[in-house]
Amino acid sequence: MHTDRRTFSIAGLLALVGCGRSVEAAERFSVTLSDAEWRKRLSPAAYRTLRHEDTEAPGTSPLNREKRSGTYACAGCANPLFSSNTKFESGTGMPSLWVPLPKAVGTRTDRARFIARTEVHCARCGGHLGPVFDDGPKPTGKRYCMNGVAMTFRAA
């Protein structure tokens, strides 16, 4: 890759203002697969979201219309993530929930979009699920704004 003065300056500026993924100690997950194995296991949209932090278009997930009692799980490793009892209509076009199941998810700071926000990932495989915001309902005040393509649903 050729790096000229302009490219270096832009990269330096972005590093100074804190854009891009922060440097953190590598997390270890109990489910680890090669990139080729993830590609085989996941649909193209789930692969892009879970493994490369893509975001699905609002209003496109069938999970938005899911009203049954059950559990939302990671599409990558089947780790149970959220109870349907915590789902609510946020008006965002994304499945929104107010609390994950115990030890189901992890979080880290994401600065990739020029602002710091909290990224949520599966605690078992590290798959990207979406961000969490502080504008949700009581009792937590949290809105886990999840990508539906990153999850599956199991009816109770």
Side-chain angles (χ1 to χ4, degrees):
M1 179 175 117
H2 173 71
T3 304
D4 63 23
R5 196 166 159 172
R6 181 171 177 242
T7 304
F8 178 77
S9 297
I10 292 170
L13 176 63
L14 291 175
L16 284 173
V17 297
C19 297
R21 178 157 307 281
S22 60
V23 178
E24 299 177 38
E27 290 182 71
R28 295 183 192 261
F29 301 102
S30 61
V31 174
T32 56
L33 301 174
S34 70
D35 190 62
E37 290 169 315
W38 283 119
R39 280 185 186 271
K40 272 190 210 177
R41 178 182 279 211
L42 302 169
S43 71
Y47 171 78
R48 286 189 309 272
T49 300
L50 286 163
R51 307 318 308 167
H52 294 283
E53 301 180 6
D54 197 10
T55 299
E56 68 186 346
T60 61
S61 174
L63 295 182
N64 287 333
R65 296 178 296 281
E66 185 57 66
K67 306 292 185 213
R68 296 174 294 170
S69 180
T71 304
Y72 295 91
C74 177
C77 69
N79 183 29
L81 302 169
F82 296 92
S83 166
S84 63
N85 295 335
T86 68
K87 187 176 180 198
F88 67 98
E89 181 51 55
S90 66
T92 63
M94 306 289 275
S96 296
L97 305 107
W98 52 268
V99 69
L101 295 170
K103 300 181 182 179
V105 303
T107 61
R108 63 181 155 240
T109 302
D110 175 9
R111 290 181 169 80
R113 290 177 175 84
F114 297 101
I115 58 167
R117 63 185 198 168
T118 303
E119 181 260 346
V120 178
H121 59 270
C122 173
R124 187 183 290 164
C125 72
H128 171 77
L129 301 169
V132 60
F133 301 102
D134 291 325
D135 61 0
K138 291 181 181 182
T140 65
K142 300 290 184 188
R143 174 173 51 97
Y144 287 80
C145 188
M146 303 292 93
N147 287 284
V149 71
M151 300 186 299
T152 58
F153 181 77
R154 285 184 247 144

